[in-house]
């Protein structure tokens, strides 16, 4: 969903700690034990990222999106004026983590494990054919939609690459050894030791044997040119299995892959057209996110796009509702559920206006029209 390069669990400027943690077992025993959890928790508490310059630049971008000053907070929208409550999506995710203990969460957050699949997809994922979904169940819909999006919009998208983000990356010791080397600047034997213990930890049944959707519960657009300068990564859209699984579980599987991908492609349009936010504030992020909703909704509704009608239009509007959030003063605020649904309704009306269905409006024109109508979309609804 988000435009940012990484989720905000990473932080910079943490004082360096010695890596003299108790040695972990050379090879995992038959079963995970409380003693191993305590050892891994202690290791997580002591292990501070020893970042390479490149990793530091990458993480600085994500960290900068957390910065907000008194002025931007003062301008934050008043949550009391808007209807907002947890959605089925957030409730579903909560149900998936009910068995997690405080110690589990200390390990997951201390080692930044929710970031590892995202980093791998961005930095190491191959450019060739990939599968989307744990069993490839979303591959056909996503690859077809991607080709259609590139033809639909007037902005050249031939440079954009798709990459899949899988939770089970975390039990691939070879892959996570490379990540540990990059992020913690560990020697290969020590990185492999950590990767082996992480894989054993996540192989417990409560983590679905390493397939838990929490670890790939995201989708995001990345632009090397727009965000980081000369990093050599180009432009990518990362599609996480967990987000697709969640919306599928809520009965939106026939439209979620197309809707999420079209939203992230909308961010790529913003990058190309210079429409990104110039400040890190709730208002700026909400604008870019709702505009990406509008761009995706226009494509999904248009006769030359996905041509969604009737029940499926309602389905994608419901998907937008599920992806809203109530964090009004957070710099990552995406808009309330109602605002996201309203952006989708706005796009449907534009795509199907009388006399307008025979041609596709330029992306910049859709953006201009949306920004003119944004105050009405943001009007209090409580």
């Amino acid at each position: 969903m988000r435009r940012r390069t990484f989720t905000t669990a990473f932080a910079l400027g943490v004082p360096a700690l010695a890596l003299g943690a108790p040695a972990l077992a050379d090879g995992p025993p038959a079963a995970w034990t409380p003693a191993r959890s305590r050892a891994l928790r202690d290791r997580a508490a002591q292990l501070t990222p020893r970042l390479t310059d490149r990793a530091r630049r990458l993480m600085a971008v994500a960290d900068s999106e957390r910065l907000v000053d008194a002025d931007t907070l003062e301008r934050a929208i008043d949550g009391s004026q808007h209807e907002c409550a947890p959605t089925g999506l957030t409730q579903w995710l909560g149900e998936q983590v009910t068995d997690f203990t405080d110690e589990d969460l200390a390990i997951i957050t201390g080692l930044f494990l929710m970031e590892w699949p995202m980093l791998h997809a961005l930095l190491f994922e191959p450019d060739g054919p990939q599968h989307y979904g744990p069993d490839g169940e979303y591959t056909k819909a996503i690859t077809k939609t991607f080709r259609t999006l590139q033809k639909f919009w007037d902005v050249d998208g031939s440079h954009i690459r798709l990459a899949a983000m899988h939770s089970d990356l975390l039990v691939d010791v070879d892959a996570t050894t490379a990540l540990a080397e990059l992020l913690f600047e560990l020697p290969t034997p020590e990185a492999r030791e950590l990767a082996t213990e992480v894989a054993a930890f996540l192989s417990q049944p409560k983590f679905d044997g390493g397939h838990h959707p929490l670890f790939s519960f995201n989708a995001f657009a990345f632009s090397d040119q727009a965000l980081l300068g000369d990093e050599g990564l180009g432009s990518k859209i990362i599609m996480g299995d967990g987000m697709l699984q969640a919306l599928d579980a809520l009965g939106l599987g026939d439209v979620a892959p197309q809707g999420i991908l079209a939203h992230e492609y909308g961010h790529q349009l913003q990058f190309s057209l210079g429409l990104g936010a110039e400040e890190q504030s709730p208002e700026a992020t909400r604008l870019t996110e709702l505009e990406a909703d509008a761009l995706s909704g226009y494509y999904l509704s248009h006769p030359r796009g996905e041509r969604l009608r009737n029940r499926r239009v309602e389905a994608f509007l419901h998907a937008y509702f599920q992806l809203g959030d109530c964090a009004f003063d957070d710099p990552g605020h995406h808009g309330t559920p109602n605002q996201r649904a309203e952006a989708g309704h706005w796009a449907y009306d534009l795509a199907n206006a009388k006399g307008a269905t025979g041609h596709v409006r330029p992306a910049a024109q859709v953006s201009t029209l949306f920004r003119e109508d944004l105050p009405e979309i943001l009007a209090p609804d409580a």
Side-chain angles (χ1 to χ4, degrees):
M1 294 180 293
R2 301 179 310 185
R3 185 179 60 85
R4 58 189 58 178
T5 310
F6 304 112
T7 56
T8 53
F10 280 115
L12 291 179
V14 181
L17 298 177
L19 298 180
L24 301 176
D26 290 336
W32 189 260
T33 65
R36 293 179 78 187
S37 278
R38 290 192 294 272
L40 189 57
R41 178 201 61 197
D42 293 344
R43 183 69 178 275
Q46 295 178 31
L47 188 62
T48 299
R50 296 168 53 177
L51 301 175
T52 63
D53 289 342
R54 185 164 185 251
R56 187 176 297 277
R57 287 195 300 269
L58 291 169
M59 294 182 188
V61 172
D63 190 57
S64 69
E65 298 205 26
R66 296 292 296 168
L67 298 178
V68 69
D69 58 25
D71 290 337
T72 55
L73 282 175
E74 189 174 333
R75 297 197 309 272
I77 80 172
D78 180 1
S80 66
Q81 298 182 40
H82 297 264
E83 292 183 0
C84 200
T87 67
L89 185 68
T90 56
Q91 293 169 356
W92 180 89
L93 183 60
E95 292 168 0
Q96 310 310 305
V97 300
T98 53
D99 293 337
F100 290 17
T101 66
D102 289 344
E103 196 163 61
D104 294 333
L105 295 176
I107 293 169
I108 291 168
T109 58
L111 291 174
F112 313 117
L113 294 183
M114 288 188 292
E115 313 294 345
W116 290 24
M118 186 183 296
L119 284 166
H120 184 270
L122 180 63
L123 299 174
F124 302 119
E125 197 70 27
D127 294 333
Q130 299 180 62
H131 71 277
Y132 298 89
D135 300 310
E137 58 268 44
Y138 309 112
T139 302
K140 183 177 180 180
I142 286 175
T143 53
K144 179 182 178 182
T145 299
F146 185 61
R147 290 193 299 267
T148 307
L149 280 162
Q150 290 178 308
K151 296 177 182 177
F152 180 81
W153 290 108
D154 64 316
V155 178
D156 180 29
S158 60
H159 61 290
I160 303 170
R161 292 176 293 160
L162 272 177
M165 177 166 56
H166 305 297
S167 294
D168 63 2
L169 174 279
L170 287 164
V171 294
D172 181 340
V173 173
D174 289 337
T176 55
T177 295
L179 283 172
E181 289 176 327
L182 172 68
L183 297 179
F184 300 107
E185 209 170 39
L186 297 175
T188 299
E190 198 172 339
R192 191 168 189 85
E193 177 191 38
L194 177 63
T196 299
E197 199 70 353
V198 165
F201 167 67
L202 294 175
S203 293
Q204 297 178 81
K206 61 183 167 183
F207 301 120
D208 297 337
H211 292 83
H212 199 285
L214 173 69
F215 301 106
S216 56
F217 194 78
N218 201 2
F220 71 102
F222 171 87
S223 174
D224 194 47
Q225 178 182 3
L227 297 180
L228 294 175
D230 187 15
E231 281 291 335
L233 295 175
S235 297
K236 275 190 173 183
I237 293 175
I238 310 295
M239 298 289 289
D241 290 349
M243 181 62 70
L244 296 167
Q245 289 173 275
L247 290 170
D248 201 348
L250 294 172
L252 300 170
D254 66 329
V255 70
Q258 298 92 323
I260 295 172
L261 178 54
H263 173 95
E264 300 307 333
Y265 201 93
H267 285 314
Q268 292 290 352
L269 295 173
Q270 291 171 328
F271 295 151
S272 295
L273 295 171
L275 298 174
E278 296 182 359
E279 60 176 316
Q280 304 300 333
S281 69
E283 296 81 8
T285 302
R286 185 178 62 238
L287 167 60
T288 57
E289 291 298 332
L290 291 177
E291 183 174 74
D293 287 342
L295 290 164
S296 63
Y298 183 77
Y299 160 79
L300 292 169
S301 303
H302 200 283
R304 294 190 180 182
E306 289 291 322
R307 303 183 298 276
L308 297 190
R309 290 294 184 272
N310 301 326
R311 182 183 64 84
R312 297 190 77 223
V313 169
E314 290 302 315
F316 92 72
L317 292 176
H318 187 60
Y320 288 153
F321 178 93
Q322 295 291 339
L323 294 173
D325 69 81
C326 306
F328 299 104
D329 59 356
D330 190 292
H333 179 47
H334 280 46
T336 70
N338 285 353
Q339 288 167 352
R340 302 202 74 172
E342 186 58 32
H345 281 294
W346 178 92
Y348 176 78
D349 290 342
L350 181 66
N352 291 278
K354 184 176 181 181
T357 60
H359 70 282
V360 178
R361 294 177 183 270
Q365 185 181 89
V366 175
S367 169
T368 298
L369 294 172
F370 175 76
R371 294 183 182 217
E372 289 174 354
D373 291 343
L374 183 61
E376 184 176 345
I377 292 173
L378 296 179
D381 58 4

